[in-house]
Tab-separated table of all heavy atoms in Angstrom:
chain	number	residue	atom	x	y	z
A	422	SER	N	31.547	18.689	41.670
A	422	SER	CA	30.245	19.135	42.139
A	422	SER	C	29.102	18.377	41.488
A	422	SER	O	27.956	18.502	41.891
A	422	SER	CB	30.076	20.626	41.839
A	422	SER	OG	30.062	20.834	40.423
A	423	GLY	N	29.399	17.583	40.452
A	423	GLY	CA	28.346	16.860	39.740
A	423	GLY	C	27.819	17.621	38.539
A	423	GLY	O	26.999	17.108	37.791
A	424	LYS	N	28.296	18.868	38.338
A	424	LYS	CA	27.831	19.668	37.206
A	424	LYS	C	28.373	19.095	35.902
A	424	LYS	O	29.549	18.748	35.809
A	424	LYS	CB	28.300	21.112	37.371
A	424	LYS	CG	27.886	22.026	36.229
A	424	LYS	CD	28.507	23.404	36.409
A	424	LYS	CE	28.243	24.291	35.203
A	424	LYS	NZ	28.939	25.581	35.318
A	425	LEU	N	27.531	19.000	34.893
A	425	LEU	CA	27.943	18.453	33.596
A	425	LEU	C	28.924	19.391	32.920
A	425	LEU	O	28.701	20.601	32.843
A	425	LEU	CB	26.712	18.261	32.704
A	425	LEU	CG	26.882	17.349	31.496
A	425	LEU	CD1	27.108	15.919	31.959
A	425	LEU	CD2	25.646	17.422	30.605
A	426	LYS	N	30.031	18.833	32.455
A	426	LYS	CA	31.032	19.648	31.778
A	426	LYS	C	30.618	19.950	30.350
A	426	LYS	O	29.913	19.173	29.718
A	426	LYS	CB	32.380	18.917	31.751
A	426	LYS	CG	33.060	18.817	33.096
A	426	LYS	CD	34.448	18.226	32.922
A	426	LYS	CE	35.165	18.117	34.237
A	426	LYS	NZ	36.517	17.573	34.068
A	427	THR	N	31.104	21.075	29.834
A	427	THR	CA	30.887	21.399	28.437
A	427	THR	C	31.900	20.648	27.582
A	427	THR	O	32.920	20.153	28.084
A	427	THR	CB	31.052	22.907	28.184
A	427	THR	OG1	32.423	23.256	28.425
A	427	THR	CG2	30.146	23.723	29.097
A	428	MET	N	31.652	20.587	26.263
A	428	MET	CA	32.594	19.935	25.352
A	428	MET	C	33.950	20.639	25.398
A	428	MET	O	34.998	19.994	25.353
A	428	MET	CB	32.039	19.963	23.925
A	428	MET	CG	30.804	19.115	23.717
A	428	MET	SD	31.132	17.354	23.880
A	428	MET	CE	32.048	17.064	22.359
A	429	GLU	N	33.927	21.993	25.507
A	429	GLU	CA	35.182	22.739	25.548
A	429	GLU	C	35.984	22.399	26.795
A	429	GLU	O	37.205	22.221	26.745
A	429	GLU	CB	34.898	24.257	25.509
A	429	GLU	CG	34.469	24.784	24.154
A	429	GLU	CD	32.979	24.609	23.935
A	429	GLU	OE1	32.303	24.017	24.817
A	429	GLU	OE2	32.490	25.044	22.891
A	430	GLU	N	35.286	22.289	27.948
A	430	GLU	CA	35.972	21.947	29.197
A	430	GLU	C	36.575	20.549	29.125
A	430	GLU	O	37.704	20.326	29.573
A	430	GLU	CB	34.990	22.041	30.366
A	430	GLU	CG	34.595	23.465	30.723
A	430	GLU	CD	33.420	23.518	31.691
A	430	GLU	OE1	32.665	22.523	31.783
A	430	GLU	OE2	33.259	24.552	32.340
A	431	MET	N	35.820	19.610	28.550
A	431	MET	CA	36.321	18.248	28.416
A	431	MET	C	37.553	18.199	27.518
A	431	MET	O	38.557	17.559	27.832
A	431	MET	CB	35.213	17.345	27.853
A	431	MET	CG	34.079	17.084	28.819
A	431	MET	SD	32.619	16.436	27.993
A	431	MET	CE	33.273	14.956	27.237
A	432	GLU	N	37.460	18.907	26.379
A	432	GLU	CA	38.575	18.893	25.430
A	432	GLU	C	39.807	19.575	26.030
A	432	GLU	O	40.932	19.087	25.894
A	432	GLU	CB	38.161	19.587	24.133
A	432	GLU	CG	39.215	19.483	23.036
A	432	GLU	CD	38.727	19.991	21.696
A	432	GLU	OE1	37.880	20.914	21.666
A	432	GLU	OE2	39.194	19.480	20.670
A	433	LYS	N	39.589	20.698	26.715
A	433	LYS	CA	40.708	21.420	27.325
A	433	LYS	C	41.400	20.549	28.367
A	433	LYS	O	42.635	20.456	28.405
A	433	LYS	CB	40.198	22.715	27.968
A	433	LYS	CG	41.313	23.580	28.552
A	433	LYS	CD	40.768	24.921	29.040
A	433	LYS	CE	41.898	25.802	29.573
A	433	LYS	NZ	41.398	27.129	29.997
A	434	GLU	N	40.601	19.893	29.214
A	434	GLU	CA	41.174	19.032	30.254
A	434	GLU	C	41.960	17.877	29.642
A	434	GLU	O	43.044	17.508	30.114
A	434	GLU	CB	40.051	18.493	31.140
A	434	GLU	CG	40.542	17.620	32.278
A	434	GLU	CD	39.392	17.135	33.157
A	434	GLU	OE1	38.703	17.984	33.743
A	434	GLU	OE2	39.183	15.914	33.211
A	435	HIS	N	41.411	17.308	28.544
A	435	HIS	CA	42.067	16.174	27.889
A	435	HIS	C	43.414	16.595	27.302
A	435	HIS	O	44.432	15.900	27.461
A	435	HIS	CB	41.142	15.628	26.802
A	435	HIS	CG	41.647	14.382	26.147
A	435	HIS	ND1	42.163	13.322	26.855
A	435	HIS	CD2	41.709	14.027	24.831
A	435	HIS	CE1	42.526	12.368	26.017
A	435	HIS	NE2	42.274	12.779	24.785
A	436	ILE	N	43.454	17.756	26.661
A	436	ILE	CA	44.700	18.254	26.068
A	436	ILE	C	45.719	18.576	27.169
A	436	ILE	O	46.907	18.254	27.053
A	436	ILE	CB	44.424	19.488	25.181
A	436	ILE	CG1	43.667	19.072	23.911
A	436	ILE	CG2	45.732	20.193	24.800
A	436	ILE	CD1	43.199	20.231	23.059
A	437	MET	N	45.248	19.199	28.256
A	437	MET	CA	46.162	19.544	29.349
A	437	MET	C	46.734	18.289	30.019
A	437	MET	O	47.899	18.262	30.412
A	437	MET	CB	45.442	20.427	30.368
A	437	MET	CG	45.166	21.833	29.839
A	437	MET	SD	44.184	22.854	30.958
A	437	MET	CE	45.359	23.152	32.265
A	438	THR	N	45.909	17.245	30.117
A	438	THR	CA	46.407	15.977	30.674
A	438	THR	C	47.499	15.395	29.781
A	438	THR	O	48.533	14.922	30.259
A	438	THR	CB	45.250	14.963	30.812
A	438	THR	OG1	44.267	15.497	31.681
A	438	THR	CG2	45.744	13.639	31.382
A	439	ALA	N	47.274	15.461	28.460
A	439	ALA	CA	48.271	14.960	27.511
A	439	ALA	C	49.567	15.762	27.617
A	439	ALA	O	50.672	15.209	27.601
A	439	ALA	CB	47.712	15.023	26.091
A	440	LEU	N	49.440	17.093	27.738
A	440	LEU	CA	50.622	17.943	27.872
A	440	LEU	C	51.374	17.635	29.164
A	440	LEU	O	52.616	17.619	29.188
A	440	LEU	CB	50.205	19.419	27.836
A	440	LEU	CG	49.782	19.958	26.463
A	440	LEU	CD1	49.059	21.285	26.605
A	440	LEU	CD2	50.986	20.104	25.538
A	441	GLN	N	50.620	17.390	30.232
A	441	GLN	CA	51.256	17.009	31.498
A	441	GLN	C	52.074	15.733	31.335
A	441	GLN	O	53.220	15.635	31.771
A	441	GLN	CB	50.186	16.783	32.568
A	441	GLN	CG	49.889	18.007	33.414
A	441	GLN	CD	48.960	17.656	34.566
A	441	GLN	OE1	48.069	16.832	34.417
A	441	GLN	NE2	49.167	18.281	35.700
A	442	ASN	N	51.448	14.732	30.690
A	442	ASN	CA	52.116	13.441	30.496
A	442	ASN	C	53.365	13.569	29.628
A	442	ASN	O	54.267	12.732	29.708
A	442	ASN	CB	51.151	12.431	29.865
A	442	ASN	CG	50.044	12.029	30.821
A	442	ASN	OD1	50.161	12.217	32.025
A	442	ASN	ND2	48.970	11.474	30.295
A	443	CYS	N	53.392	14.595	28.769
A	443	CYS	CA	54.519	14.777	27.846
A	443	CYS	C	55.458	15.887	28.305
A	443	CYS	O	56.284	16.367	27.520
A	443	CYS	CB	54.000	15.095	26.442
A	443	CYS	SG	52.977	13.792	25.741
A	444	GLY	N	55.309	16.340	29.552
A	444	GLY	CA	56.188	17.372	30.083
A	444	GLY	C	56.061	18.701	29.373
A	444	GLY	O	57.016	19.481	29.320
A	445	GLY	N	54.901	18.977	28.796
A	445	GLY	CA	54.674	20.241	28.109
A	445	GLY	C	55.089	20.238	26.652
A	445	GLY	O	54.889	21.221	25.932
A	446	LYS	N	55.660	19.133	26.179
A	446	LYS	CA	56.112	19.056	24.783
A	446	LYS	C	54.913	18.855	23.864
A	446	LYS	O	54.087	17.974	24.091
A	446	LYS	CB	57.086	17.891	24.622
A	446	LYS	CG	57.713	17.802	23.239
A	446	LYS	CD	58.727	16.664	23.169
A	446	LYS	CE	59.378	16.582	21.793
A	446	LYS	NZ	60.328	15.465	21.697
A	447	VAL	N	54.815	19.662	22.810
A	447	VAL	CA	53.657	19.614	21.910
A	447	VAL	C	53.928	18.727	20.698
A	447	VAL	O	53.184	17.782	20.432
A	447	VAL	CB	53.257	21.034	21.450
A	447	VAL	CG1	52.081	20.965	20.468
A	447	VAL	CG2	52.887	21.904	22.649
A	448	SER	N	54.997	19.007	19.961
A	448	SER	CA	55.264	18.282	18.714
A	448	SER	C	56.500	17.408	18.840
A	448	SER	O	57.208	17.443	19.846
A	448	SER	CB	55.432	19.272	17.561
A	448	SER	OG	56.506	20.151	17.820
A	449	GLY	N	56.742	16.608	17.802
A	449	GLY	CA	57.907	15.731	17.784
A	449	GLY	C	57.661	14.433	18.526
A	449	GLY	O	56.610	14.229	19.137
A	450	PRO	N	58.654	13.522	18.500
A	450	PRO	CA	58.525	12.230	19.187
A	450	PRO	C	58.252	12.421	20.678
A	450	PRO	O	58.943	13.192	21.337
A	450	PRO	CB	59.886	11.559	18.942
A	450	PRO	CG	60.434	12.233	17.727
A	450	PRO	CD	59.947	13.648	17.790
A	451	GLY	N	57.257	11.725	21.193
A	451	GLY	CA	56.913	11.821	22.597
A	451	GLY	C	56.127	13.059	22.958
A	451	GLY	O	55.872	13.316	24.141
A	452	GLY	N	55.708	13.846	21.963
A	452	GLY	CA	54.943	15.060	22.221
A	452	GLY	C	53.453	14.781	22.346
A	452	GLY	O	52.968	13.700	22.025
A	453	ALA	N	52.715	15.788	22.824
A	453	ALA	CA	51.274	15.632	23.032
A	453	ALA	C	50.539	15.377	21.719
A	453	ALA	O	49.549	14.644	21.688
A	453	ALA	CB	50.716	16.869	23.725
A	454	ALA	N	50.999	15.986	20.622
A	454	ALA	CA	50.347	15.773	19.323
A	454	ALA	C	50.421	14.306	18.922
A	454	ALA	O	49.448	13.727	18.436
A	454	ALA	CB	50.992	16.655	18.254
A	455	GLU	N	51.568	13.691	19.143
A	455	GLU	CA	51.724	12.269	18.835
A	455	GLU	C	50.824	11.425	19.731
A	455	GLU	O	50.158	10.502	19.270
A	455	GLU	CB	53.188	11.855	19.024
A	455	GLU	CG	53.457	10.382	18.707
A	455	GLU	CD	54.908	9.997	18.963
A	455	GLU	OE1	55.292	9.900	20.149
A	455	GLU	OE2	55.653	9.816	17.993
A	456	LEU	N	50.775	11.756	21.027
A	456	LEU	CA	49.947	11.005	21.975
A	456	LEU	C	48.468	11.086	21.599
A	456	LEU	O	47.734	10.103	21.693
A	456	LEU	CB	50.156	11.556	23.390
A	456	LEU	CG	49.321	10.909	24.509
A	456	LEU	CD1	49.667	9.434	24.652
A	456	LEU	CD2	49.542	11.642	25.821
A	457	LEU	N	48.031	12.267	21.160
A	457	LEU	CA	46.620	12.473	20.823
A	457	LEU	C	46.311	12.116	19.372
A	457	LEU	O	45.161	12.229	18.941
A	457	LEU	CB	46.240	13.942	21.070
A	457	LEU	CG	46.315	14.408	22.534
A	457	LEU	CD1	46.186	15.914	22.623
A	457	LEU	CD2	45.243	13.728	23.361
A	458	ASN	N	47.347	11.706	18.626
A	458	ASN	CA	47.194	11.352	17.211
A	458	ASN	C	46.626	12.516	16.406
A	458	ASN	O	45.712	12.373	15.601
A	458	ASN	CB	46.302	10.115	17.047
A	458	ASN	CG	46.467	9.479	15.674
A	458	ASN	OD1	47.493	9.667	15.005
A	458	ASN	ND2	45.458	8.753	15.221
A	459	LEU	N	47.183	13.709	16.653
A	459	LEU	CA	46.786	14.914	15.939
A	459	LEU	C	47.997	15.498	15.223
A	459	LEU	O	49.141	15.297	15.647
A	459	LEU	CB	46.241	15.974	16.912
A	459	LEU	CG	44.921	15.691	17.625
A	459	LEU	CD1	44.672	16.764	18.675
A	459	LEU	CD2	43.767	15.639	16.635
A	460	GLN	N	47.732	16.229	14.143
A	460	GLN	CA	48.803	17.000	13.524
A	460	GLN	C	49.209	18.106	14.489
A	460	GLN	O	48.350	18.711	15.148
A	460	GLN	CB	48.328	17.615	12.206
A	460	GLN	CG	48.059	16.605	11.097
A	460	GLN	CD	49.328	15.918	10.624
A	460	GLN	OE1	50.394	16.530	10.615
A	460	GLN	NE2	49.191	14.657	10.237
Side-chain angles (χ1 to χ4, degrees):
S422 65
K424 179 185 173 185
L425 197 67
K426 289 187 180 181
T427 66
M428 293 293 288
E429 286 84 357
E430 289 169 339
M431 290 164 58
E432 186 172 31
K433 184 174 182 178
E434 182 178 299
H435 186 45
I436 290 173
M437 289 175 71
T438 300
L440 287 165
Q441 267 188 324
N442 291 342
C443 299
K446 185 177 181 182
V447 178
S448 60
E455 181 182 72
L456 178 62
L457 296 169
N458 197 23
L459 293 172
Q460 292 293 327

